[in-house]
Amino acid sequence: MRFLVIISFLLAVGSMLPFEVAALTVSPVRIELTGDPGTVIEGELILTNEQEATRTFYSSSGNFEATGETGTPSFVPGEEGLATWIETASSITLGSGGEKEVPYTITIPQDADPGGHFAAIFWGTSPPKTEEGGQVSIGTKVGVLILLRVSGEIEEGGGVLEFSTKDKQKFFSSLPVTFTYRFHNSGDDRIKPEGEMTIKNIFGGTSAVLPANKSEGNILPQSIRKFEVSWEKTQNNKQQETSDKDIKGGFFQDLKREWNNFALGRYTANLSLEYGASNEKARASFSFFVIPWRILTLAISFLIIAFLLLAKGIKKYNQWIIAKARALK
């Protein structure tokens, strides 16, 4: 039975920053390549020893695939596929603070299937070992994701399976409003949907334009990934928003939150995406309401009180006029 090793603390597909665990920093953390069958690709990694002692680091490799819909990679033993095409130094010794460029090669077989192939080069402080039953012990390691596209006739396909607010909620009392969409990649290579989410008010005006894939997350072949997009206040109001979220309970505390995150009416979120080498398009929309009922309740209450006071004032004024007219007779 194939043994899946899920490393939750490793980078998700789409991360762009150097990755650091314990004694070692490896960069870059993601390498995107394209090659033809039968060719050899060469490259280099940079390893840095962060500890105050000389350490030896050992390499290993494994393939990865999507697990669930979060975009977190799930690693499997490198018994076939891209993991077996990679060659690099089996071990590297670095002094304290030492840094070294480590070359690697990827030899693409002549009969390699066109499309996406995905693996990782791991570096750790323990030599790779195989446990009972052929299971691979990963231990504490850092990795570099290798995303390879083998040239050829590659089928691309996909689309938005579902788009709505989080938990399909239709009514809100204030911002923020969080949206989710699930995108299915039915093709042979990874895709990265790009585009915008436009929020329109009831009059057709644009209330907000939001990036639909701010993290630049990829979707692996034959998998589904869920994305989240949040409509909230501008960056200048983030500190106030955080303070508002910490306030819990009480009508007037909730009233303050509605005031600081105000929106009113029916809105429609329009999702517009492009993906793949041929820039295929995907569209979806969802309508919802923002009703700041506490503010409206307070405003209506004030209007009613003002109307009653005005009516009472007019009545008293009329009575005064009548009384004055009688006094003049």
Side-chain angles (χ1 to χ4, degrees):
M1 183 178 67
R2 184 172 62 174
F3 178 66
L4 299 182
V5 185
I6 302 176
I7 306 180
S8 60
F9 57 83
L10 199 64
L11 59 154
V13 178
S15 176
M16 296 294 290
L17 301 176
F19 190 69
E20 211 171 301
V21 170
L24 181 66
T25 298
V26 182
S27 63
V29 296
R30 186 182 71 176
I31 300 173
E32 301 182 21
L33 302 167
T34 300
D36 298 324
T39 61
V40 177
I41 300 174
E42 298 180 346
E44 291 182 337
L45 308 175
I46 299 176
L47 274 61
T48 306
N49 180 12
E50 303 291 345
Q51 285 197 349
E52 297 181 355
T54 298
R55 301 296 298 267
T56 299
F57 302 98
Y58 301 88
S59 69
S60 59
S61 60
N63 296 311
F64 73 84
E65 57 190 33
T67 176
E69 298 183 2
T70 63
T72 302
S74 174
F75 295 89
V76 300
E79 299 174 354
E80 59 182 4
L82 178 55
T84 62
W85 307 347
I86 299 172
E87 292 185 8
T88 189
S90 58
S91 64
I92 294 292
T93 300
L94 296 173
S96 175
E99 182 178 287
K100 187 171 184 178
E101 294 182 349
V102 181
Y104 67 87
T105 61
I106 300 175
T107 303
I108 305 175
Q110 190 67 48
D111 60 351
D113 293 331
H117 299 263
F118 314 102
I121 303 174
F122 296 108
W123 293 89
T125 54
S126 301
K129 60 181 179 180
T130 302
E131 299 176 347
E132 294 183 7
Q135 297 179 351
V136 176
S137 174
I138 294 294
T140 303
K141 296 187 177 185
V142 294
V144 177
L145 296 183
I146 308 294
L147 291 80
L148 172 65
R149 177 186 176 99
V150 176
S151 303
E153 294 185 7
I154 300 173
E155 181 179 347
E156 288 187 334
V160 178
L161 295 180
E162 184 179 17
F163 173 53
S164 68
T165 57
K166 195 171 184 179
D167 300 324
K168 299 182 180 180
Q169 185 176 341
K170 294 283 288 187
F171 294 91
F172 300 84
S173 61
S174 66
L175 302 182
V177 176
T178 300
F179 304 88
T180 63
Y181 68 91
R182 299 171 63 239
F183 199 102
H184 179 220
N185 179 5
S186 59
D188 298 328
D189 193 12
R190 63 185 175 86
I191 56 177
K192 180 171 65 176
E194 297 178 325
E196 296 176 335
M197 184 184 300
T198 305
I199 312 294
K200 297 281 189 178
N201 59 34
I202 194 171
F203 303 107
T206 300
S207 298
V209 179
L210 312 169
N213 185 5
K214 189 175 181 179
S215 65
E216 298 187 347
N218 290 279
I219 309 169
L220 298 188
Q222 306 301 320
S223 69
I224 298 170
R225 182 167 179 176
K226 180 185 288 187
F227 296 84
E228 284 194 1
V229 182
S230 184
W231 178 28
E232 53 192 355
K233 291 292 185 178
T234 61
Q235 189 66 37
N236 294 334
N237 293 325
K238 287 294 181 67
Q239 185 174 357
Q240 181 64 52
E241 284 182 22
T242 302
S243 176
D244 290 343
K245 290 177 183 178
D246 293 336
I247 300 174
K248 296 182 179 179
F251 178 85
F252 289 102
Q253 292 153 337
D254 292 334
L255 178 68
K256 179 183 177 183
R257 180 161 47 245
E258 284 185 6
W259 180 260
N260 290 326
N261 301 276
F262 181 82
L264 173 64
R266 181 180 183 271
Y267 295 90
T268 299
N270 298 302
L271 181 65
S272 177
L273 300 172
E274 291 186 353
Y275 64 93
S278 56
N279 292 324
E280 297 289 334
K281 300 183 185 303
R283 302 285 186 268
S285 63
F286 185 83
S287 296
F288 59 99
F289 297 85
V290 182
I291 309 295
W293 64 268
R294 297 174 183 84
I295 292 177
L296 294 178
T297 299
L298 198 61
I300 292 171
S301 298
F302 278 128
L303 288 175
I304 292 173
I305 292 172
F307 176 78
L308 293 175
L309 290 175
L310 181 62
K312 186 175 182 180
I314 292 173
K315 184 178 180 180
K316 284 186 174 291
Y317 177 75
N318 289 336
Q319 291 174 344
W320 177 79
I321 291 294
I322 293 171
K324 188 174 181 180
R326 286 175 177 175
L328 293 175
K329 290 180 179 181

